[in-house]
Amino acid sequence: MPSYSNVDLHCHSRVSDGVLSPRDVAARAFANGVDMWALTDHDEVGGLAEAGASAAELGLRFITGVEISVTWAARTVHIVGLGFDATNTDLVEGLRATRAGRADRARQIGDRLADMGMPGAFEGALPFAGNPELISRTHFARYLVEAGYCPDVQTVFNKYLGDNCPGQVAIQWATLAEAVGWILGAGGRAVIAHPGRYKYTPLQFDALFDEFLALGGVGIEVNTGSHTADEARRYADVARQRGFLASCGSDFHSPQESRLDLGQLPPLPPDLRTVWHDWD
């Protein structure tokens, strides 16, 4: 079985809220020394054909991926699917249904920002969205930076668009059972993305992990661009205690915005069993 030393299984292209095309993300991953790579756009598999073709040209091992938006305990959780059939009808239709609420939410966000003295944000955000079906808070944030309302994307989220901020509009995403079911039904593996980002109590985390495992989920991200070193150690321990397969990904969106570039993750602890342990 081939040995992979630089694995990145979570990143985004312009098909969702990244800034580069799938082809350019593949090229950047390869240039940065990645040898196993997955593109995981939000609720969308439309970039996978281009990504896979580009990876094949480069000799880069490519894994199909997606990041599915889930509502669990009144908060948003992201579930990454890996190694699935991207043409599976139930998966494709489920993702389409999940995307359907984004346009209405975006208009509501635009209205809220206008009420706060930032008019035209919806129209301004649209050009940043390569796929209008997937217009997101990140696209609004890029517009607000360009328009001079904030110095950077993180400030936009801290002041206006983060959870519990005045410009945020809640939306009902897929259920955890739906997301995991779509991934498994398409032959893939389901992974909890960046658990350090979720504001749950220890009791809620226990319930989330219990339900996820009972549904057939198998993995958890340990090393990711939004985890601190302490959080990576914490979720490595969770993987050991719960029997999760360990995954990792930079969560790369843009050369200017991302905390980590593609291929810059530290290695996983050697005692953890990886989500790709039996992929040849």
Side-chain angles (χ1 to χ4, degrees), residues 83-263:
F84 52 81
D85 174 5
T87 67
N88 179 271
T89 300
D90 289 342
L91 173 69
V92 171
E93 286 303 307
L95 295 177
R96 182 198 57 75
T98 302
R99 295 194 300 270
R102 285 184 180 267
D104 285 343
R105 182 183 72 152
R107 292 188 181 278
Q108 293 178 56
I109 290 174
D111 291 342
R112 291 192 180 190
L113 293 172
D115 291 342
M116 289 184 278
M118 293 169 281
F122 174 75
E123 294 78 9
L126 277 173
F128 288 91
N131 181 348
E133 277 193 342
L134 283 168
I135 185 169
S136 71
R137 290 180 290 174
T138 301
H139 300 124
F140 278 94
R142 289 175 184 147
Y143 166 73
L144 294 179
V145 171
E146 181 186 74
Y149 291 111
C150 289
D152 53 54
V153 165
Q154 190 58 54
T155 301
V156 177
F157 275 88
N158 291 344
K159 292 182 66 175
Y160 301 116
L161 295 180
D163 292 345
N164 302 316
C165 289
Q168 159 66 341
V169 174
I171 188 170
Q172 183 67 39
W173 301 113
T175 67
L176 186 62
E178 287 171 335
V180 175
W182 297 332
I183 294 164
L184 269 58
R189 289 180 176 170
V191 175
I192 297 175
H194 41 58
R197 285 175 47 178
Y198 308 133
K199 308 302 182 185
Y200 290 132
T201 67
L203 188 62
Q204 287 174 318
F205 267 118
D206 282 343
L208 172 64
F209 297 153
D210 285 344
E211 183 177 346
F212 180 72
L213 288 166
L215 290 168
V218 296
I220 192 168
E221 287 185 350
V222 172
N223 291 348
T224 182
S226 58
H227 278 181
T228 65
D230 284 345
E231 287 169 336
R233 284 189 288 269
R234 181 183 312 152
Y235 291 105
D237 285 341
V238 169
R240 296 181 184 104
Q241 295 159 7
R242 289 286 194 149
F244 281 119
L245 301 178
S247 192
C248 57
S250 58
D251 202 3
F252 174 83
H253 286 72
S254 155
Q256 291 75 38
E257 298 168 5
S258 299
R259 296 183 186 180
L260 279 185
D261 204 342
L262 289 150

Side-chain angles (χ1 to χ4, degrees), residues 26-49:
R28 191 177 187 92
F30 181 76
N32 287 1
V34 175
D35 50 22
M36 179 185 283
W37 170 65
L39 179 67
T40 57
D41 280 318
H42 290 282
D43 305 316
E44 176 63 270
V45 293
L48 295 184

Side-chain angles (χ1 to χ4, degrees), residues 36-92:
M36 179 185 283
W37 170 65
L39 179 67
T40 57
D41 280 318
H42 290 282
D43 305 316
E44 176 63 270
V45 293
L48 295 184
E50 179 183 325
S54 300
E57 292 171 4
L58 295 165
L60 172 62
R61 176 67 192 278
F62 177 68
I63 306 298
T64 53
V66 67
E67 186 173 13
I68 303 179
S69 306
V70 164
T71 299
W72 192 89
R75 295 184 182 275
T76 299
V77 172
H78 290 156
I79 302 298
V80 166
L82 296 169
F84 52 81
D85 174 5
T87 67
N88 179 271
T89 300
D90 289 342
L91 173 69
V92 171

